[in-house]
Amino acid sequence: MLTNLLTLLLALTTPVTDSIPASAVIAAKQDAAPERLAVPVSAFGTRTLDAAGIKNPKGLSDLIPGLHMPDYGASLTSTIYLRGFGSRMENPVMGLYVDDIPVLDKNAYDIDFLDLKSATMLRGPQGTGYGRNTMCGVLSLRTLAPGEYDGLLGRIEGGTAGQLRTSLSWYGDRHALSLGYRHGDGWFDNACTGAPVDPYDGGSLRWRWERRLSDRLSLSNSLSASLVKEGAFAYGQYREGVLHPVSYNDEGSYARLTVLEGAKASWTLESLTLDAAASLQWLSDDVRMDNDYTARDIFTLEQRQDCGAGTLDLTLRPTRERERWQPATGLFAFFKGNHLSAPVHFKEGGIQSLILDNANGNIPADIGYLDIRDRDIPILSEFRIRSWGAALYHESVFRLGRWQLTAGVRLDYEGGWMGYDCSARLDYRFVPFMASYKAFRSDYRGSLDLSALQLLPKLSALYEVPSPLPDRHLFLYATASKGWRAGGFNTQIFSDILQNRMMNGLMEDLGVYLDRPAVSVGAENTRYAPETAWNYEIGGRLLDRNVFRLEASLYYIDGRNQQLTVFPPGLSTGRMMTNAGRSRSLGAEAEADLHPGQWTLHLSYGCCDARFVRYDDGNHDYSGNRIPYSPAHTLYAAAGYRFPFATGRIQGLSLLADLHGTGGIRWDEANTLSEPFAWRLGGRITLEWKHFDLYLRGSNLTDDRSRTFYFKSVGNEFFALSKPRALVWGLTLKI
Amino acid sequence: MKRIISMLACAALLAACVHPEAEPEEVPIQPETGEYLGVVTVEYSGTSFDNESITVLFQPAEDGKTASLEIKRIKFVPAMPVTIDVTIPDVELTSTSEEIDLVCGEVIPLAMGGEYPRYIVTGLIGRIVGDEMTFSLKFGDYPTTFRGVLQH
């Protein structure tokens, strides 16, 4: 039955213009066509992305099998889970390249697309070619280049919750300039203040320049910048099995400036071609957070960081494609410097509940009690973090008849250093012994460093099955490769460390020593180790150029030192990255693109069973449990039909319905809290004229309110909900 | 003449050499700051409770006539969930060439940033001989003794 249906669909297929363009969607550093890559590839062109209403990388969740980037918090939170791995803090498991330039800081991953031409995802470890933080894949975004369009592109879109999105672009022979602006009134209300939690204003700019100086040398430059100011953190408290509305009294906001300057050069010699890509990156952001997320004055965080980075990537390959052996050798280097200031303010309720109650609970009442005069105790934390790395890599592709064998290896070195300078002061007295308050100050300064050396091998084989039709190809492949995610320093736990040091120091200043003093990790324990994974994969790809593509794969990932975000037990105020001993993920992924006649059909599905093989945090043994936060299933299904109008000014009418599905998700290592599989229905109607399109798009039409994020703060539990039903209308302009 | 003078000188030298030793003058020991590590024993409810490895900081005043004794991390009863530093001020010192005697009739000790009248110190007597310090006193109703050795 299924075979008959497939045969019927294939028989009906005719080439359409916005199918999967082999040459247009190639990923960074891949000069082979995507169908000849021995890894699963997801590729989307402009029209597919537009029709699906995808405006930023988070929108690619579910479209790419196994990818889950939940939309919550703020633009800061680019949490990425892929194939069961990932974490919301620090280094990602997926690399992001924009026009062949790696985006080093995950805080800059959540960007508004401006004239995106394609999004290509290479799934599975891409360690050999791309190195650090590409353990589960690389997402390559390409924007429209000068010369690929001539004229003006514009868009205006408005809708639910005051959404307004506009962009205007000009394309010439050598230059392209784009400007974008987005506004939103907010999706959630704060029951405490009565104001919207998450209003948004953001602007972005992109300038591209390309020039061929000679037959041998071509240059291009891309400069993009964005500025965001938004309300943030719509988290509601979960008490006694009930999720309460968002209700907190202090500021929750996020502001960010990002600049990404990338230059590329390609120098072609007689026998070799050198491709160089260099970048300078800047990110300044400012997070204001009511860290207890309640209507009480407990504690707040103000985190500001200025982060600069530079990258250089050189790749040398033969100018002419060789028949049997195609080598590529590269060198990569980066440097990143970050100045982070993250003062935590303990307010009246926090001083009482987190400091005084803690201390006085251990002091017999008949001896006395501790009193603090301050109503706001700032715990100041300044960090200077440097990381640097260099890598040498080589990949050789051997073509032997229908076989294509690839062997690659990369040697990645990474170093890191963090200087920390933390301090806190307060005025205290011990009643009834001390008649007056005494000043107390606690300082904590020092530095840490780390280094890592990783050898990342890769072996793959691809076989092209003989086909009776010239445009129809069936490829089978098997790949074994290693990837890694860099280690780092836990900065978010320092307020906990200093709070405990302050309390213990204060008691010592008094000459009182608790039998069971508050225990906290020290700075030396704030390093977390690199995570590594071996990925074993087999798959197949059946395609007919510009007509259909079917792809399926099975993988097994053997992970070591998996990085997890954990909440220290008790009334802790911080969170930290830790390494689970060993984990594994077993999964399957499938994608189908079919274009029978005026139909457009797409299906993406991923399922994985990701578990801890060995993880004992000292208090509990989680071995065998599912890895939290990562969904067991992702699904995207879309069906569209275009009615072409041969006469009249309206050229066509397009209808599209799509379905997103994600789940189930375990929210904690113990697997006691979970989220079932949830569906979200969307759709779009587009009327097409020669120079403009008018559309109406709905997302989450079923108004699914499933939970997208879970965390703990000072022992309380919180969830974020998915955004409600939304309708937008829009007008695109092409002149 | 020269011979006479030489003989007189030799006689004087001899006389000096055979002069019986003078009675040694008693030099009192100069009290010096020091930490003594030892055991504090507190008697309560008819039993005794040893605080092992307790440090007592002996800190004489500039004139050497009084000193403070800071007893670090002491518990008066085993059930106390905390240990505390207690300072006994104004302990009178009497030094001889062989020992320093410690005496304090009654004084309110200092603890937790102020006076601690609940454990008023009475009847403190003790001494420092060589590297060893011993003293006894009553903290409130608790008879307490200490014996410790100077830490170099």
Side-chain angles (χ1 to χ4, degrees), chain A residues 12-25:
Chain A
L12 288 169
T13 54
T14 53
V16 291
T17 51
D18 189 51
S19 58
I20 306 304
S23 60
V25 292

Side-chain angles (χ1 to χ4, degrees), chain A residues 320-651:
Chain A
R320 289 179 199 86
E321 192 167 330
R322 296 173 181 175
E323 194 175 324
R324 286 185 178 274
W325 176 45
Q326 187 69 15
T329 302
L331 182 72
F332 176 76
F334 82 95
F335 176 82
K336 185 176 164 190
N338 188 1
H339 177 210
L340 177 71
S341 171
V344 169
H345 286 260
F346 283 85
K347 305 179 80 178
E348 203 163 346
I351 293 168
Q352 186 63 48
S353 61
L354 298 175
I355 299 177
L356 289 176
D357 289 354
N358 237 349
N360 289 326
N362 292 302
I363 301 171
D366 59 341
I367 292 181
Y369 65 90
L370 187 70
D371 180 34
I372 292 172
R373 176 160 59 184
D374 308 69
R375 292 294 162 258
D376 182 347
I377 299 175
I379 294 186
L380 307 175
S381 300
E382 299 274 332
F383 303 96
R384 291 184 185 278
I385 303 170
R386 314 270 181 268
S387 51
W388 57 90
L392 186 65
Y393 58 93
H394 175 85
E395 202 167 282
S396 278
V397 178
F398 302 94
R399 294 193 180 113
L400 307 165
R402 294 190 166 276
W403 286 93
Q404 175 183 290
L405 306 175
T406 304
V409 68
R410 181 184 184 108
L411 186 64
D412 235 352
Y413 163 77
E414 178 155 337
W417 176 89
M418 177 176 77
Y420 55 91
D421 183 353
C422 309
S423 65
R425 71 160 303 285
L426 52 80
D427 292 330
Y428 80 98
R429 70 187 181 118
F430 196 71
V431 183
F433 299 93
M434 297 169 65
S436 58
Y437 288 95
K438 182 183 176 187
F440 176 78
R441 183 184 171 96
S442 179
D443 295 298
Y444 195 44
R445 297 189 181 90
S447 65
L448 297 166
D449 54 28
L450 54 79
S451 65
L453 192 65
Q454 294 286 336
L455 189 68
L456 306 168
K458 170 186 168 182
L459 278 173
S460 71
L462 181 135
Y463 177 73
E464 183 173 1
V465 178
S467 167
L469 300 172
D471 282 339
R472 192 156 296 173
H473 303 274
L474 173 62
F475 298 96
L476 301 175
Y477 57 80
T479 298
S481 56
K482 186 185 176 189
W484 79 295
R485 187 150 66 124
F489 307 104
N490 277 297
T491 55
Q492 293 198 30
I493 201 66
F494 270 80
S495 68
D496 255 23
I497 294 175
L498 203 70
Q499 183 194 341
N500 282 320
R501 284 179 61 88
M502 187 175 69
M503 282 317 303
N504 291 336
L506 190 149
M507 298 302 276
E508 283 185 24
D509 192 49
L510 268 175
V512 177
Y513 308 90
L514 304 177
D515 280 0
R516 292 186 298 277
V519 177
S520 170
V521 296
E524 65 280 4
N525 304 115
T526 61
R527 289 187 196 92
Y528 56 91
E531 176 182 344
T532 58
W534 268 99
N535 184 93
Y536 308 95
E537 189 141 359
I538 54 169
R541 183 180 295 127
L542 175 64
L543 56 91
D544 193 326
R545 288 181 195 281
N546 300 327
V547 180
F548 72 85
R549 180 179 64 107
L550 305 171
E551 185 151 344
S553 61
L554 292 170
Y555 62 83
Y556 177 81
I557 302 174
D558 181 11
R560 308 289 172 104
N561 289 324
Q562 184 177 3
Q563 294 171 6
L564 296 169
T565 306
V566 296
F567 310 102
L571 296 178
S572 59
T573 56
R575 57 223 63 195
M576 62 186 294
M577 294 294 289
T578 191
N579 295 98
R582 199 166 166 184
S583 46
R584 62 100 174 127
S585 179
L586 177 65
E589 293 169 349
E591 271 189 287
D593 273 305
L594 300 167
H595 303 276
Q598 296 298 328
W599 284 94
T600 301
L601 304 170
H602 183 89
L603 177 73
S604 297
Y605 173 69
C607 68
C608 78
D609 181 73
R611 292 179 186 272
F612 297 115
V613 174
R614 191 179 63 244
Y615 176 36
D616 189 333
D617 70 355
N619 295 314
H620 302 95
D621 186 356
Y622 300 117
S623 305
N625 287 6
R626 280 188 179 272
I627 297 170
Y629 292 94
S630 190
H633 304 271
T634 63
L635 174 74
Y636 175 77
Y641 189 83
R642 181 174 184 272
F643 299 92
F645 299 144
T647 57
R649 292 188 173 179
I650 299 178
Q651 295 186 333

